[in-house]
């Protein structure tokens, strides 16, 4: 039942994220006006706003103008639902789970916005610091163990400084939005352990590097082409959170 509720929550939040992804980069309110067809302006009724099901019922078309509705909308809703369920599976029902669920939902929005406009809006990134820190602090209060909390703060600072130095030394490689996102991801990774932080940080550069090489080999980009790095930071962090400690332990075992 917990996982079912988590999935439903993810679908609902995913529907809202579609609004966030479209409006925040344009400086528009996510509250009003109500959702509408971007082509004909038809304001959606409640039955047209049911996550995934409405898109299937309408066969991917607006009920008024019959123009196609992009498949990315139900995909984002499903991806968000899956992300929330995976977080609950990973952490159970705890205070920390709230922070990781929020981060997972924010990550979906940031990936799409970075791919669309190559930006990581402060309006999304900065509040995430407060939510994640508050959730981890509440978890520490509940069990009286603050070691993981202090490690999380240290990890967030370390990853922030690392990315900041990378920005200073190689300005064209990333933007300051990546630096600010790094601090949040560092919090979430270091809470789990130093191994998770190391694997999550390394994974971002590994995945981003492989993607860049593929683009170069297929001539879809040149050496001076810029690619959004936020999605790879988030992908690396996801790996670190999921299996980072296990990978790190295996790595240390091989060295030994």
């Amino acid at each position: 039942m917990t996982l079912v509720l988590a999935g439903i929550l993810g679908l609902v939040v995913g529907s809202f994220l579609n609004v966030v992804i479209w409006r925040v980069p344009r400086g528009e309110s996510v509250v009003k006006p109500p959702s509408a067809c971007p082509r004909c302006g038809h304001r959606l009724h409640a039955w047209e706003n049911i996550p995934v099901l409405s898109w299937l019922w309408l066969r991917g078309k607006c009920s008024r103008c019959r123009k196609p509705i992009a498949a990315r909308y139900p995909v984002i809703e499903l991806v968000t639902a899956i992300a929330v369920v995976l977080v609950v599976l990973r952490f159970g029902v705890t205070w920390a789970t709230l922070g990781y669920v929020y981060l997972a939902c924010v990550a979906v929005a940031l990936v799409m916005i970075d791919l669309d406009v190559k930006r990581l809006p402060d309006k999304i990134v900065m509040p995430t610091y407060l939510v994640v820190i508050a959730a981890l602090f509440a978890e520490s209060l509940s069990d009286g163990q603050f070691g993981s909390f202090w490690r999380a703060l240290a990890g967030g600072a370390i990853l922030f400084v690392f990315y900041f130095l990378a920005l200073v030394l190689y300005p064209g490689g990333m933007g300051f939005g990546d630096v600010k996102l790094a601090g949040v991801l560092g919090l979430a990774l270091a809470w789990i352990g130093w191994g998770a932080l190391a694997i999550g940080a390394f994974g971002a550069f590994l995945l981003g590097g492989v993607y860049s090489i593929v683009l170069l080999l297929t001539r879809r980009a040149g050496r001076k082409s810029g690619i959004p790095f936020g999605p790879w930071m988030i992908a690396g962090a996801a790996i670190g959170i999921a299996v980072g400690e296990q990978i790190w332990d295996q790595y240390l075992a091989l060295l030994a």
Side-chain angles (χ1 to χ4, degrees):
M1 181 58 69
T2 299
L3 295 180
V4 170
L5 292 175
I8 293 173
L9 172 65
L11 289 173
V12 173
V13 173
S15 181
F16 176 69
L17 289 182
N18 280 317
V19 177
V20 172
I21 292 165
W22 176 262
R23 296 187 184 184
V24 168
R26 294 165 175 79
E28 300 174 358
S29 170
V30 298
V31 179
K32 55 182 181 181
S35 298
C37 173
R39 292 182 173 86
C40 70
H42 165 62
R43 289 193 175 182
L44 304 184
H45 302 292
W47 65 271
E48 295 175 289
N49 259 328
I50 302 173
V52 180
L53 295 179
S54 290
W55 189 87
L56 294 173
W57 177 259
L58 294 168
R59 298 182 180 180
K61 296 179 181 179
C62 173
S63 62
R64 175 176 291 180
C65 67
R66 307 307 298 168
K67 296 293 184 180
I69 302 172
R72 66 181 275 172
Y73 293 109
V75 168
I76 288 171
E77 292 164 353
L78 284 172
V79 168
T80 307
I82 293 170
V84 172
V85 169
L86 290 177
V87 169
V88 174
L89 280 172
R90 174 68 173 83
F91 296 100
V93 181
T94 66
W95 287 108
T97 304
L98 295 177
Y100 283 97
V101 164
Y102 186 91
L103 179 60
C105 295
V106 162
V108 174
L110 290 176
V111 165
M112 297 308 301
I113 292 174
D114 206 11
L115 291 175
D116 287 344
V117 299
K118 294 183 180 180
R119 282 172 45 213
L120 297 168
D122 285 349
K123 287 184 178 180
I124 298 177
V125 175
M126 301 313 291
T128 309
Y129 276 92
L130 298 178
V131 175
V132 172
I133 290 174
L136 298 183
F137 183 73
E139 180 67 22
S140 296
L141 278 178
S142 68
D143 62 13
Q145 302 294 323
F146 283 88
S148 296
F149 180 72
W150 301 127
R151 185 177 63 236
L153 294 181
I158 289 170
L159 206 58
F160 182 94
V161 171
F162 175 78
Y163 270 79
F164 180 77
L165 291 176
L167 174 65
V168 171
L169 295 175
Y170 184 52
M174 62 185 65
F176 196 56
D178 298 321
V179 177
K180 286 177 278 191
L181 176 60
V184 177
L185 298 180
L187 286 167
L189 287 163
W191 167 267
I192 298 170
W194 294 117
L197 178 66
I199 296 300
F202 175 74
F205 289 95
L206 176 63
L207 295 173
V210 171
Y211 178 71
S212 299
I213 292 172
V214 171
L215 290 182
L216 288 172
L217 293 177
T218 57
R219 297 185 178 180
R220 296 174 60 187
R223 292 186 177 182
K224 295 184 178 181
S225 298
I227 64 167
F229 194 54
W232 303 115
M233 294 173 65
I234 290 169
I239 294 172
I241 291 171
V243 294
E245 286 295 287
Q246 294 90 321
I247 294 175
W248 184 250
D249 289 342
Q250 290 296 321
Y251 173 71
L252 294 180
L254 287 175
L255 291 181

